[in-house]
Amino acid sequence: MKQAKQQSLVRWDRKDKRERIKELARLQGMNLNRFVNWLGDMALAQHEAEARFRAASARGSVKKAIHILESLDRADKRAGIAGTKP
């Protein structure tokens, strides 16, 4: 199944985007490189959790799939990112 290309609602020029990301890093108490690495870690963790969830649900293991979602919710709450997606 081919995925549709996602369009951004807001477009920033490169300099503006870089400055906004630097500000987000500063607000998190990180330098830019560490912040981007942190974002990558979150994206990979989300991808791996989604893959585990899909595999469990494809096998028909509803309890296991729900357990995965609940553990993700708890981890998001601990990290202060509940309800967000990187």
Side-chain angles (χ1 to χ4, degrees):
M1 178 167 65
K2 188 173 182 174
Q3 203 171 21
K5 184 177 178 183
Q6 186 175 4
Q7 295 292 322
S8 175
L9 295 176
V10 179
R11 299 215 184 262
W12 297 293
D13 62 51
R14 285 183 174 207
K15 184 177 180 186
D16 184 45
K17 186 177 185 178
R18 180 170 167 47
E19 292 304 315
R20 291 172 60 100
I21 292 171
K22 281 173 66 174
E23 178 63 14
L24 284 173
R26 187 189 68 75
L27 290 171
Q28 292 291 326
M30 300 179 203
N31 66 36
L32 186 58
N33 287 337
R34 184 171 178 203
F35 182 71
V36 171
N37 190 41
W38 177 70
L39 288 175
D41 289 345
M42 288 193 335
L44 287 171
Q46 179 183 359
H47 173 73
E48 290 169 5
E50 182 178 345
R52 288 194 333 261
F53 173 77
R54 288 181 184 275
S57 63
R59 288 190 302 270
S61 179
V62 175
K63 284 184 180 183
K64 179 72 173 170
I66 290 173
H67 176 71
I68 291 168
L69 291 177
E70 289 172 343
S71 65
L72 289 172
D73 284 343
R74 287 190 301 275
D76 284 351
K77 286 177 185 172
R78 282 192 306 271
I81 57 171
T84 65
K85 184 175 182 180

